[in-house]
Amino acid sequence: FDQRTLPEEDLRLLYMEYVPAGGLDAVIDRVIETPVSDRRGQLLLGVVDQALLARGETPPTDSMLHERLANASWAETVCVIGAQLARALAYAHARGVLHRDVKPANVLLGRTSEAKLADFIISYSNQLEGSSAAAYLGGSMAYMSAEQLEACSPVHNRDPDALDARIDIFSLGVLLFELLTGERPYIEDDTLRGGWTTAMQEMIDRRRAGPAEERLALVPDDAPRLLLPTLLRCLHPDPDERFRDAADVAQQLELALLPRAADLISPPEDSRAHFVRRHAIISVLGGGLLPNAILSVLNVRFNMQGSVLKYDPFMDLVMVVNAVVYALGIGFALRWTQQLARTSRRVAGG
């Protein structure tokens, strides 16, 4: 909120927001203790209320977010928290700041259960003159992407300056998966039989292979349809296949909470809407032009049969006009359909 310097004390005072409800790591501990069938938004509210009471504060009763989470499933709650954290990352990234240590302990909870991204102690800003991405390079390995682990490993020559926002997006994916299931998406060995170098290489190899199948099976059946695909894209082994902008992650998680809108923008693969969007030109031709063409042929044949006994020059004019108008109509339809096809592909890509 503010800062003050005390030259005589050689101190700088930073005035920051008071965030009273502890860290997200306490919520994950509660998730692990709670049976899957009992995990709901009330779980998060219970942790927050308990932390507030321990500090002598009264839990809120008039918060819209509090009311929303009280009626939410656990997967929906994860979407809400994930969207908040993704927006926070997008804000930092837009200002040239990489967090580089996104993990549950670095997420604080406000008194109305909103998530706050904190602890930028090893972050890197490309806006600071003379700063180096290699300085203070570190973080929590369990939440690191393969490329961030390589930048920290003594046996790899990956340049820390080459790391970008996608490492934070990967870490966010690990955090949200753990929050959703109580387990991280990768099965790690806590023992260091071969030392740090060997352990880091094993972690890199696991991330290159993708999330473990047995961990994916822990995703609850009632999770919004877009939640798991969004997490898997965040966790993609290839950085080029991940979201490039954390704002897109937030948008997908927010969309996951609106099933009807999600079905319009990103329809299920086995639906007619998905086929139409994937084959837009064929669908327009088949659904729009083909019935018109069939009925036009029937109409012309009907009129010609009525003119067999008497020559009607008006029919010649009708045939010419029809040929010209239909050709122009098909041309315009194809042109407009191409625009629709490009738009639908862009919507599908976020």
Side-chain angles (χ1 to χ4, degrees):
F1 291 131
D2 200 0
Q3 63 176 333
R4 292 286 187 273
T5 56
L6 303 177
E8 66 279 4
E9 302 288 344
D10 194 25
L11 292 176
R12 172 185 289 175
L13 305 181
L14 299 179
Y15 296 82
M16 302 171 69
E17 180 183 4
Y18 174 53
V19 187
L24 197 62
D25 49 345
V27 178
I28 291 180
D29 290 341
R30 183 70 61 86
V31 169
I32 295 172
E33 299 169 357
T34 305
V36 175
S37 59
D38 295 337
R39 295 174 186 170
R40 296 194 60 79
Q42 285 286 358
L43 185 153
L44 173 64
L45 299 179
V47 174
V48 170
D49 291 351
Q50 184 177 351
L52 292 175
L53 291 171
R55 289 170 170 79
E57 299 190 28
T58 303
T61 58
D62 57 348
S63 164
M64 291 181 62
L65 178 59
H66 193 283
E67 182 178 348
R68 180 184 187 185
L69 293 176
N71 300 306
S73 69
W74 184 241
E76 291 171 338
T77 302
V78 172
C79 288
V80 171
I81 294 175
Q84 293 172 346
L85 295 177
R87 294 288 180 196
L89 279 176
Y91 182 90
H93 293 163
R95 285 150 184 80
V97 176
L98 296 182
H99 189 285
R100 305 201 299 186
D101 195 19
V102 178
K103 61 181 180 181
N106 288 343
V107 176
L108 302 181
L109 296 170
R111 64 186 308 274
T112 57
S113 304
E114 71 276 18
K116 307 261 185 185
L117 186 62
D119 204 349
F120 284 74
I121 194 168
I122 62 169
S123 63
Y124 164 67
S125 172
N126 59 19
Q127 304 297 313
L128 296 179
E129 185 176 349
S131 64
S132 168
Y136 307 108
L137 181 64
S140 302
M141 292 196 300
Y143 298 89
M144 286 185 182
S145 63
E147 63 269 24
Q148 188 175 1
L149 286 167
E150 289 175 350
C152 294
S153 173
V155 299
H156 287 274
N157 59 358
R158 183 179 286 275
D159 184 3
D161 286 303
L163 302 178
D164 57 24
R166 291 171 292 183
I167 65 170
D168 284 345
I169 290 174
F170 182 94
S171 299
L172 177 63
V174 177
L175 180 155
L176 294 179
F177 192 95
E178 184 178 16
L179 182 63
L180 177 65
T181 66
E183 299 283 355
R184 298 190 197 102
Y186 306 99
I187 301 175
E188 312 283 17
D189 189 351
D190 294 332
T191 60
L192 295 175
R193 289 185 294 270
W196 279 108
T197 302
T198 302
M200 290 181 74
Q201 186 57 51
E202 289 178 354
M203 296 175 78
I204 292 170
D205 293 341
R206 290 190 185 100
R207 282 147 181 74
R208 296 293 184 203
E213 289 295 330
E214 50 264 54
R215 295 294 168 83
L216 294 178
L218 298 176
V219 176
D221 295 334
D222 65 346
R225 182 173 57 84
L226 293 184
L227 176 55
L228 181 57
T230 300
L231 295 182
L232 291 178
R233 188 172 173 188
C234 291
L235 297 169
H236 201 286
D238 184 357
D240 291 336
E241 296 298 325
R242 290 180 211 146
F243 293 99
R244 292 183 174 273
D245 190 338
D248 291 338
V249 181
Q251 187 181 60
Q252 289 298 302
L253 293 173
E254 290 163 353
L255 184 62
L257 295 169
L258 303 169
R260 294 183 64 185
D263 287 344
L264 288 173
I265 295 176
S266 182
E269 292 188 2
D270 58 350
S271 66
R272 286 177 295 177
H274 179 80
F275 177 87
V276 169
R277 193 182 65 180
R278 190 176 183 86
H279 306 286
I281 294 179
I282 294 176
S283 299
V284 169
L285 289 176
L289 296 181
L290 185 59
N292 275 280
I294 293 174
L295 290 174
S296 178
V297 170
L298 294 175
N299 185 45
V300 169
R301 290 192 61 183
F302 176 80
N303 290 332
M304 290 183 67
Q305 288 175 354
S307 305
V308 167
L309 300 178
K310 180 181 179 182
Y311 173 71
D312 187 354
F314 177 72
M315 285 302 301
D316 293 338
L317 178 60
V318 168
M319 295 293 290
V320 173
V321 171
N322 279 355
V324 173
V325 172
Y326 266 90
L328 290 174
I330 291 173
F332 278 116
L334 289 174
R335 180 180 177 183
W336 291 335
T337 302
Q338 288 176 344
Q339 293 176 336
L340 289 170
R342 283 195 298 270
T343 301
S344 64
R345 284 195 296 269
R346 293 181 65 187
V347 169

